[in-house]
Amino acid sequence: MHLARYVRNVRPRWRWRLPILAAALTVLAGVPAIAVVAPAALPAPSFDGPVYSVAYRGDVVFVGGQFAAAVVAGRRMPRQHLAAFDARTGRLLDWAPPADGTVQALAVAGGTVYAATDSGLTGLDAGTGAASGFKHRVAGRVTTLAAGADRLYAGGRFSAVDGVKRGNLAAFTLAGGALDPAWTAGADDAVNGLAVDGPRVYLGGRFHRVNGSSALRLAAVDASTGALDRGFRPNPPAEILGVATEARPGERGGAAVAAAMGGQGGRAAGYSAAGAVRWQRVFDGDVQTVAILDGVTYLGGHFDAACTTTRNGAHGICTDGAAARVKLAAVDRSGRLLDWAPQANGIVGVRSLAAGAATGTVTAGGEFTTIGGIVQKRVAIFG
């Protein structure tokens, strides 16, 4: 029996043994072992509106979006744009702070959940949901958040924070929650994705310049000062919609970078810490989000197929053959397309992906309503 079919049919109590089984089978086959989450969705709440962002804190998954309720066993539970559930059991948690508008992005640091809403930025206690005192007004919209290096970083399309001029990027100290006056990185157009890795903050978007210098769509800046890091020089062919990193000890910069892109059809690519292309995959629709877990890069978007080559034609249609990958796909470190194919549905599809190292799970959020033909609305967790 093919391993992917076995995974779909395996009984729940055996799921924890799947990484061991997969490793054993691949070693026996003479192929390097790689642990991929199962394509069948685990128990999780559904939601009555789009989910724009997901984030982990240990065993807990936080979700934000444009919903008014979670749905558990057919029962509606009020959740005003924010909710949380247990990644191991799927149980909806009592955490239910009301947001004052659609939640565009989430990040977690320590005991605080940071949310970007239509009106600005808010900090919430990860246990109780109570306001933490972190609150900032933004002239525009924050659409991506990332925490690291003792700071919270924000990107999007905005011109000021609390009346202080900022060009689509800002940083806040985690200790006091204040806008960091020393970190003044700015981009000349929208920033859609952020990822922090050690001394670097990677940013992707629609921009052509960062801090006044040429930096096309994907760049790195210093985590402490915001200065442009000229040691990272990629040249992506299309707008970047999401960014993720994977630690690569010994490499300058300490990470490999994966980027989700739009363009003709849609693309995803892996870059070295110097910005050299490691791999590239082409799809028939935008790749909108990316996450990395245990050496596997997971991709989500509104594509229906992965092209077998890097060529496509009008409207993104694959010209040299395609493999069905409806809204979700996965590749290994060399960019090889893996068999993982949960097959979500919808037009917009998957908007957000997050990986939970503590639980070995990957959570997807978006506008889908089924996974593999089974009803699972707008959030799905795989493990």
Side-chain angles (χ1 to χ4, degrees):
M1 179 183 289
H2 192 282
L3 178 59
R5 295 195 190 100
Y6 177 84
V7 169
R8 281 194 290 269
N9 294 300
V10 70
R11 294 180 180 179
R13 68 173 182 269
W14 288 97
R15 282 185 176 134
W16 68 272
R17 297 183 183 178
L18 288 175
I20 298 173
L21 174 63
L25 290 177
T26 51
V27 169
L28 287 172
V31 178
I34 188 167
V36 185
V37 296
L42 299 175
S46 286
F47 291 86
D48 69 349
V51 170
Y52 294 152
S53 186
V54 294
Y56 277 83
R57 180 178 183 256
D59 292 357
V60 177
V61 180
F62 296 93
V63 301
Q66 201 176 10
F67 50 84
V71 181
V72 179
R75 182 184 175 192
R76 288 173 58 86
M77 311 287 285
R79 293 293 186 275
Q80 194 67 31
H81 306 307
L82 286 163
F85 66 94
D86 188 298
R88 297 188 186 276
T89 67
R91 180 175 64 90
L92 182 69
L93 302 179
D94 293 336
W95 195 82
D100 59 2
T102 300
V103 174
Q104 302 286 343
L106 293 172
V108 182
T112 303
V113 178
Y114 298 94
T117 70
D118 292 337
S119 62
L121 295 169
T122 302
L124 303 160
D125 187 280
T128 67
S132 69
F134 179 94
K135 194 168 185 65
H136 295 275
R137 293 177 294 106
V138 178
R141 177 174 290 184
V142 172
T143 55
T144 180
L145 294 171
D150 299 322
R151 292 171 180 82
L152 175 73
Y153 301 93
R157 186 70 166 140
F158 55 89
S159 59
V161 176
D162 299 330
V164 179
K165 187 176 179 180
R166 286 292 185 270
N168 304 315
L169 287 164
F172 307 83
T173 60
L174 292 178
L179 180 68
D180 187 346
W183 200 90
T184 57
D188 67 345
D189 208 334
V191 175
N192 301 322
L194 293 169
V196 184
D197 186 86
R200 279 177 166 176
V201 179
Y202 294 93
L203 46 135
R206 208 165 51 226
F207 54 82
H208 289 73
R209 301 181 75 81
V210 172
N211 299 347
S213 297
S214 178
L216 184 63
R217 304 186 184 106
L218 183 62
V221 297
D222 187 275
S224 298
T225 67
L228 182 65
D229 188 331
R230 299 181 186 279
F232 181 67
R233 291 178 170 273
N235 187 28
E239 179 178 357
I240 303 296
L241 302 175
V243 184
T245 62
E246 177 191 28
R248 293 282 182 89
E251 280 200 34
R252 184 178 182 275
V257 184
M261 301 183 211
Q264 181 170 297
R267 293 172 184 264
Y271 296 90
S272 73
V277 177
R278 291 186 181 276
W279 55 265
Q280 185 173 189
R281 299 255 21 140
V282 172
F283 295 81
D284 67 348
D286 287 354
V287 182
Q288 300 176 139
T289 181
V290 57
I292 304 175
L293 179 67
D294 296 335
V296 177
T297 298
Y298 295 90
L299 306 167
H302 61 77
F303 51 83
D304 293 323
C307 302
T308 54
T309 71
T310 56
R311 298 198 317 158
N312 60 7
H315 309 296
I317 300 300
C318 301
T319 56
D320 302 323
R325 294 292 186 276
V326 188
K327 319 307 178 192
L328 288 162
V331 301
D332 66 13
R333 283 190 175 123
S334 66
R336 180 175 62 93
L337 186 68
L338 301 177
D339 289 340
W340 190 74
Q343 312 295 56
N345 71 336
I347 297 173
V348 174
V350 175
R351 287 183 175 273
S352 179
L353 286 169
T359 56
T361 56
V362 174
T363 298
E367 301 189 30
F368 53 86
T369 57
T370 66
I371 298 290
I374 298 172
V375 173
Q376 183 60 50
K377 295 182 178 181
R378 303 175 183 96
V379 163
I381 184 168
F382 306 93

